[in-house]
Amino acid sequence: MIIGVDVDGVLTELFSYVKKYGAIFAKENNIKIKYNKKATDTIDAFGWGADIDKKFWYEFIWPYSLECKCKKGASKYLHKLKAEGHKIVIITKRYYAQTPDEIGLKMRANMELWFKKHKIPYDEICYVHSKKSKLDYAKQTQIDILIDDSVENLEEISKHIPVICMNGPLNKSYLNNKIERANNWKEVYQIIHKINKPK
């Protein structure tokens, strides 16, 4: 199988990072916040506006790209899948990563350093523009199954290939009985084996 793997929230502990550094950012900029556990994005999570949110991400996307923790088991189970003969395609809409300028080069280099640091195996990386669909890239790379946490991606791509939803704040209220959900990488591995089981 060719397995597509999202990065932010699937490989990275995105939301624990955001919670910690959102509070630091607010304190440094004298912004009053009240953390909303039910939020699905940083604007709702901290109760600040779009302009402040943009400033937060511009400042923290760079340390995040190198320092964010890796989800437990991601390396272990991706290596197991590779050893079993599966191909791993990273498919991400990470901010700045798709641009051809120096900022894009820096972000791609940071991501590849992060993959190396956390021993994430992959055969290919697809950097998808934030305004474009992952579906086209999934088709181009002939992905058989996608692991993602974005409701938009899950909803669109599940109409064409199987998807696994990595549970998180972005999708906790999303209901789709046709989509497999996983709480961790061990469950992802088990679901892939269930889907790939010979009939």
Side-chain angles (χ1 to χ4, degrees), residues 37-71:
K37 292 180 180 179
K38 297 181 179 179
T40 57
D41 61 32
T42 44
I43 293 175
D44 290 338
F46 299 111
W48 55 39
D51 288 347
I52 294 173
D53 195 63
K54 187 175 180 180
K55 184 180 177 184
F56 165 73
W57 279 112
Y58 184 77
E59 183 174 334
F60 282 93
I61 193 72
W62 299 105
Y64 164 80
S65 67
L66 292 172
E67 298 168 9
C68 190
K69 291 181 179 178
C70 184
K71 278 193 178 289

Side-chain angles (χ1 to χ4, degrees), residues 93 128-129 131-138 153 156-157:
K93 284 188 174 185
V128 182
H129 193 282
K131 293 182 180 179
K132 292 187 178 180
S133 168
K134 281 188 177 181
L135 179 60
D136 292 338
Y137 290 79
N153 295 332
E156 181 182 26
I157 295 174

Side-chain angles (χ1 to χ4, degrees), residues 5-185:
V5 181
D6 180 40
V7 177
D8 301 309
V10 171
L11 291 175
T12 70
E13 289 288 1
L14 171 64
F15 299 101
S16 59
Y17 185 95
V18 165
K19 185 176 181 181
K20 178 181 178 181
Y21 286 94
I24 292 170
F25 174 81
K27 186 175 181 180
E28 288 175 346
N29 291 275
N30 296 314
I31 300 167
K32 290 185 179 180
I33 61 168
K34 187 175 181 182
Y35 188 71
N36 175 12
K37 292 180 180 179
K38 297 181 179 179
T40 57
D41 61 32
T42 44
I43 293 175
D44 290 338
F46 299 111
W48 55 39
D51 288 347
I52 294 173
D53 195 63
K54 187 175 180 180
K55 184 180 177 184
F56 165 73
W57 279 112
Y58 184 77
E59 183 174 334
F60 282 93
I61 193 72
W62 299 105
Y64 164 80
S65 67
L66 292 172
E67 298 168 9
C68 190
K69 291 181 179 178
C70 184
K71 278 193 178 289
K72 185 178 179 181
S75 174
K76 173 184 174 180
Y77 288 105
L78 284 172
H79 275 286
K80 284 172 75 76
L81 290 165
K82 280 281 292 175
E84 292 164 8
H86 301 291
K87 182 178 178 182
I88 308 298
V89 176
I90 303 292
I91 181 165
T92 178
K93 284 188 174 185
R94 169 72 65 81
Y95 290 135
Y96 309 123
Q98 74 284 348
T99 62
D101 55 15
E102 287 185 14
I103 290 175
L105 286 171
K106 179 182 176 182
M107 180 56 74
R108 292 191 291 276
N110 281 11
M111 292 182 76
E112 288 168 27
L113 282 171
W114 188 91
F115 295 143
K116 185 176 181 180
K117 175 183 177 181
H118 295 284
K119 300 178 181 177
I120 300 296
Y122 59 89
D123 297 280
E124 186 177 342
I125 307 177
C126 292
Y127 295 105
V128 182
H129 193 282
S130 59
K131 293 182 180 179
K132 292 187 178 180
S133 168
K134 281 188 177 181
L135 179 60
D136 292 338
Y137 290 79
K139 287 180 176 178
Q140 286 171 22
T141 51
Q142 299 180 310
I143 286 173
D144 296 301
I145 188 168
L146 176 71
I147 307 146
D148 210 303
D149 67 329
S150 161
V151 171
E152 180 184 357
N153 295 332
L154 294 165
E155 185 69 17
E156 181 182 26
I157 295 174
S158 65
K159 295 171 184 174
H160 302 271
I161 60 171
V163 296
I164 299 173
C165 173
M166 180 67 83
N167 285 335
L170 288 177
N171 57 55
K172 60 188 171 187
S173 60
Y174 176 57
L175 299 174
N176 188 331
N177 293 332
K178 295 179 181 178
I179 291 177
E180 297 273 6
R181 300 182 74 102
N183 292 305
N184 52 57
W185 269 94

